[in-house]
Amino acid sequence: MTFSYIGLVIEILLLAVGVYLYLFARGFLFFGGPDARSRAEEFRRDNAGWMRILGLLLAALMLVNVVLHVGDLMR
């Protein structure tokens, strides 16, 4: 039972990583100082395509896993 809750927490964390990656790829998230912001923006421009797809894929898979896991815990 405890391992099931640990698995759910890990799935929720991976869902958050997927959402974060998608939002970063779209340019909605910004970082601290101007130097870090310019490096992050350059990285985002170079890698936005695959990061957007990876973020959507990870978020969708983890959302399905979380829904199924919660449904399993409710039984």
Side-chain angles (χ1 to χ4, degrees):
M1 187 80 153
T2 305
F3 289 115
S4 185
Y5 289 117
I6 292 172
L8 181 62
V9 168
I10 291 171
E11 289 172 357
I12 291 172
L13 289 174
L14 286 173
L15 173 64
V17 167
V19 170
Y20 178 82
L21 186 61
Y22 178 73
L23 291 176
F24 177 72
R26 292 293 310 245
F28 292 128
L29 300 176
F30 300 105
F31 293 100
D35 185 40
R37 186 173 289 182
S38 67
R39 285 190 318 231
E41 182 64 26
E42 182 181 339
F43 177 79
R44 187 191 67 79
R45 270 187 267 115
D46 292 341
N47 300 302
W50 68 265
M51 283 195 308
R52 188 176 298 143
I53 293 169
L54 181 68
L56 280 174
L57 180 64
L58 184 60
L61 286 173
M62 287 299 112
L63 182 62
V64 169
N65 280 339
V66 167
V67 168
L68 291 175
H69 203 137
V70 168
D72 192 37
L73 287 174
M74 295 298 232
R75 280 195 269 151

